[in-house]
Amino acid sequence: MKKYLLVGMVVALSLLTACGKKDFSKMSFNDGEYQGHFDNDEKDHPSTADVTLTIQDGKIVNCTAEFRDDKGNIKGDDYGKDAGDEKYKKAQIAVQGFSQYADKLVEVQDPDQVDAISGATVSNKEFKEAVWDALEKAKK
């Protein structure tokens, strides 16, 4: 009896997991420009990500991304400057990492195929969530 219960739970969890995952390859999109947004309210990393996607002939042909800290400041050359040299260096590694995500998305087309870059893993999650938000608005 326990064996059947365990098998049933595994099957149920598999179905729930499959239903929650978006399959980019099965989606189609309207042409146009779409904005996506994600608020990261995690205690250690409060920040936001905004993307603008341009879709043409059903493909992502352009993407821009903007990341902001918990005060609303754009994460750029000054990001982390007030936190001391060591934290500033880490922050700038993150900036260089996440600045590659938009171009990578245009290259690979699927948000789930945009791999995290060391030092910018939290931003990768934020970026993907913002992209999915924009794609939801663009889908047919």
Side-chain angles (χ1 to χ4, degrees):
M1 183 68 171
K2 287 182 183 180
K3 182 178 177 182
Y4 292 112
L5 182 59
L6 181 62
V7 169
M9 288 175 49
V10 168
V11 169
L13 284 173
S14 297
L15 289 173
L16 286 173
T17 302
C19 292
K21 182 140 172 81
K22 299 172 185 145
D23 188 351
F24 182 82
S25 66
K26 294 180 181 178
M27 298 174 81
S28 58
F29 306 101
N30 293 304
D31 289 352
E33 190 172 278
Y34 301 92
Q35 277 79 41
H37 178 78
F38 179 71
D39 282 312
N40 187 350
D41 57 3
E42 290 180 18
K43 181 181 169 189
D44 294 335
H45 301 285
S47 53
T48 62
D50 290 289
V51 299
T52 301
L53 302 179
T54 304
I55 298 177
Q56 188 174 28
D57 298 325
K59 294 188 182 260
I60 302 167
V61 295
N62 191 40
C63 176
T64 59
E66 191 172 81
F67 298 86
R68 293 183 180 268
D69 64 18
D70 59 334
K71 295 178 181 112
N73 300 315
I74 294 174
K75 293 180 180 179
D77 292 340
D78 292 334
Y79 179 55
K81 207 172 221 175
D82 298 336
D85 285 344
E86 188 174 322
K87 288 186 179 181
Y88 176 66
K89 286 178 186 175
K90 284 184 178 182
Q92 289 304 298
I93 288 170
V95 169
Q96 288 191 1
F98 64 61
S99 68
Q100 299 175 48
Y101 291 151
D103 289 340
K104 188 66 176 176
L105 175 66
V106 174
E107 178 187 327
V108 299
Q109 292 293 302
D110 183 342
D112 289 335
Q113 299 302 314
V114 177
D115 293 331
I117 295 171
S118 181
T121 54
V122 172
S123 299
N124 183 265
K125 175 190 170 208
E126 295 170 347
F127 174 75
K128 287 179 180 181
E129 291 293 337
V131 169
W132 281 116
D133 182 47
L135 290 174
E136 283 296 317
K137 296 170 185 171
K139 75 179 183 180
K140 289 184 179 180

